[in-house]
Amino acid sequence: MLLVIVLITTCLLSACAQIKETGRTIGHTTRDVATAIGHGTRDAAKAVGEGVKKVVKSAPEDHR
């Protein structure tokens, strides 16, 4: 009986470790993807802002 309890406990602990590792992998992947999207968005917004600045500076002033 004791052997059965030890065996079941060992299996449960092993399963918990696998679940924890899977959760960690999913969490880190989600973090990395969100960071990549955020950096891409930041870089695109910065490029658009710089382009708009160039256009505004190069546009002739309207004197009335």
Side-chain angles (χ1 to χ4, degrees):
M1 184 67 169
L2 182 61
L3 181 60
V4 172
I5 292 173
V6 169
L7 184 62
I8 291 173
T9 303
T10 303
C11 289
L12 288 175
L13 289 176
S14 176
C16 288
Q18 290 174 343
I19 291 170
K20 184 176 178 180
E21 182 61 31
T22 301
R24 182 179 291 119
T25 300
I26 291 169
H28 287 185
T29 302
T30 302
R31 177 199 62 198
D32 295 344
V33 168
T35 299
I37 291 170
H39 287 180
T41 303
R42 176 199 63 200
D43 295 345
K46 187 183 276 189
V48 168
E50 290 170 358
V52 169
K53 254 189 222 177
K54 287 179 184 177
V55 169
V56 169
K57 283 184 178 181
S58 68
E61 290 187 27
D62 187 19
H63 295 288
R64 291 182 189 206

